[in-house]
DNA sequence: ATGAATAATGAATCATTATTCATTATACAA
DNA sequence: TTGTATAATGAATAATGATTCATTATTCAT
């Protein structure tokens, strides 16, 4: 009895990621994905029930990986909330720095597929964000973070800022090195734009 | 000689705005827009060469209006950079507060059409953002804003944060009143999340 | 009133692509 | 080695929906 080939499933996923990143989900053609993966168009349907399933798996993995890392990070008692916040930013930047295609998919497609699939995707995404919120709450409890800021709003604030900056980076990586973006992002979310003169 | 009816052009634009906001540009059907505007599908093509032109006009007007307001705001000598920054935030919130459909179009479609059309759209959008940058630069010169923050990054930071917050608001306006979002946004961009104890 | 000129109509066209499925090739159990 | 289950194939299908265009209705200058 022949069996499905897992390396082929991966090849299709990778090809799907690249083509969807290049052309956008809607314009991404199954024929092109098949060609990139070196399989026939029909073969794709042995491994994934439809085009949507491909991107859903990509996003499920992304948020699954990030949620797993966050489960390790949040409970650490040896780190301050500020350190945890910085490390979360690093975590996310590190994932996308090495994978422009994944960055593009997050930037352009994430939202519209959040509610698609069995529910794993939304679950992973929410878990990641809830763990992030946990860090903020810890900081507020420690009087390190400002208690007057609405945590839910702050969380969306950061996601949105990050997403848009990542998008600008994919459009023109030269003029906006991801490292500078990272440093500025960390600084702004902590200190804002106002100049705080430090006493001599 | 019969003439094209400007009220019909407006009706089509309004219907297009509503339907595109509801269904997204791609899923928005010309037939539905025509029905809402109480015209035949073919009539739409008397007023707009294609579906894309409709959304481009909507976005051109949005950024045109905002750029015009900014041209009045930035040169005012009676306002501090902080006040100008706050007023810019108010300006943008005010436009979208009364127009959920326009908010949805900004949130979901703006980026992909930025480079479409004759160039007016991109021009208006850039002008608005450049004038915003102007305010930041003025604040830096006055030692009110932090000189170490990359202005271009800060600008994308705010747009992204704003867009995502607006999106959350369109998804669930109850749980996230736009007024609370507005206040938090103003506070965070100025002060960040860190708690700055004020001397007694 | 009249008759160009052109606005309005909406059924038909046409292009596009995801998906299916009849057929062929291949891996594996016996 | 052989038979069979099923993987692989890619041409054909089928659905979709933007746009066209032949026809009809309306406006307006004369």
């Amino acid at each position: 009895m022949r069996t499905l080939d897992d390396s082929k499933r991966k090849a299709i996923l990778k090809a799907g990621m690249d083509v969807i990143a290049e052309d956008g989900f809607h314009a991404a053609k199954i024929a092109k994905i098949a060609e990139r993966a070196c399989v026939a168009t029909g073969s794709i349907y042995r491994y994934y029930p439809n085009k949507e399933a491909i991107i859903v798996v990509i996003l499920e993995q992304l948020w699954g990986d990030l949620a797993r890392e966050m489960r390790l990070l949040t409970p650490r008692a040896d780190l301050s909330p500020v350190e945890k916040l910085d490390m979360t930013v690093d975590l996310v930047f590190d994932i996308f720095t090495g994978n422009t295609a994944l960055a593009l998919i997050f930037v352009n497609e994430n939202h519209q597929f959040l509610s698609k699939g069995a529910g794993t995707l939304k679950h992973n995404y929410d878990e990641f964000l809830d763990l992030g919120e946990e860090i903020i709450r810890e900081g507020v409890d420690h009087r390190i973070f400002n208690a007057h800021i609405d945590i839910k709003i702050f969380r969306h604030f950061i996601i949105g800022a990050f997403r848009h900056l990542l998008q600008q980076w994919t459009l023109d990586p030269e003029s906006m090195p991801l490292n500078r973006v990272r440093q500025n992002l960390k600084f702004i979310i902590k200190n804002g734009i106002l100049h705080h003169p430090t006493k001599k």
Side-chain angles (χ1 to χ4, degrees), chain A:
Chain A
M1 181 170 86
R2 280 189 88 175
T3 62
L4 287 166
D5 179 352
D6 207 57
S7 78
K8 208 163 280 187
R9 170 172 275 111
K10 288 206 184 85
I12 293 169
L13 200 70
K14 174 69 163 59
M17 180 148 88
D18 291 343
V19 174
I20 291 170
E22 276 172 37
D23 300 342
F25 180 78
H26 173 64
K29 299 187 189 79
I30 288 286
K32 190 170 177 180
I33 295 173
E35 194 185 353
R36 288 277 181 99
C38 302
V39 300
T41 58
S43 302
I44 291 194
Y45 291 86
R46 298 254 146 213
Y47 293 89
Y48 300 92
N50 50 48
K51 195 166 87 162
E52 182 177 291
I54 295 174
I55 195 169
V56 167
V57 168
I58 291 169
L59 291 170
E60 276 173 1
Q61 284 182 3
L62 166 65
W63 295 112
D65 290 349
L66 284 171
R68 183 158 27 74
E69 295 287 338
M70 283 296 267
R71 280 197 294 275
L72 300 176
L73 178 62
T74 42
R76 283 181 61 176
D78 60 322
L79 297 170
S80 73
V82 172
E83 286 170 321
K84 287 180 188 174
L85 188 59
D86 279 347
M87 286 176 74
T88 304
V89 173
D90 284 332
L91 181 64
V92 179
F93 269 88
D94 286 344
I95 282 212
F96 292 120
T97 303
N99 194 341
T100 315
L102 190 56
L104 273 163
I105 288 176
F106 162 64
V107 162
N108 296 314
E109 321 292 345
N110 189 62
H111 183 76
Q112 70 179 128
F113 293 102
L114 228 36
S115 57
K116 302 296 171 64
T120 318
L121 170 51
K122 186 68 164 44
H123 180 267
N124 290 347
Y125 180 73
D126 285 340
E127 183 180 3
F128 172 77
L129 291 179
D130 288 343
L131 288 167
E133 254 190 50
E134 196 68 13
I135 294 174
I136 306 301
R137 200 162 288 115
E138 189 193 354
V140 170
D141 290 345
H142 285 52
R143 316 282 146 127
I144 296 168
F145 293 156
N146 193 312
H148 295 104
I149 290 176
D150 183 311
I151 295 181
K152 190 108 350 190
I153 291 177
F154 183 72
R155 133 187 171 166
H156 288 304
F157 184 93
I158 295 186
I159 300 166
F162 173 73
R163 172 183 157 180
H164 193 74
L165 285 166
L166 200 62
Q167 178 167 47
Q168 297 307 311
W169 171 70
T170 61
L171 293 176
D172 184 4
E174 314 298 314
S175 86
M176 229 193 214
L178 217 41
N179 260 333
R180 196 192 316 158
V181 174
R182 184 196 300 231
Q183 288 184 332
N184 273 268
L185 181 73
K186 283 182 185 174
F187 187 89
I188 298 170
I189 65 180
K190 281 184 286 191
N191 304 293
I193 188 74
L194 285 184
H195 177 56
H196 299 286
T198 48
K199 222 179 303 179
K200 190 42 169 314

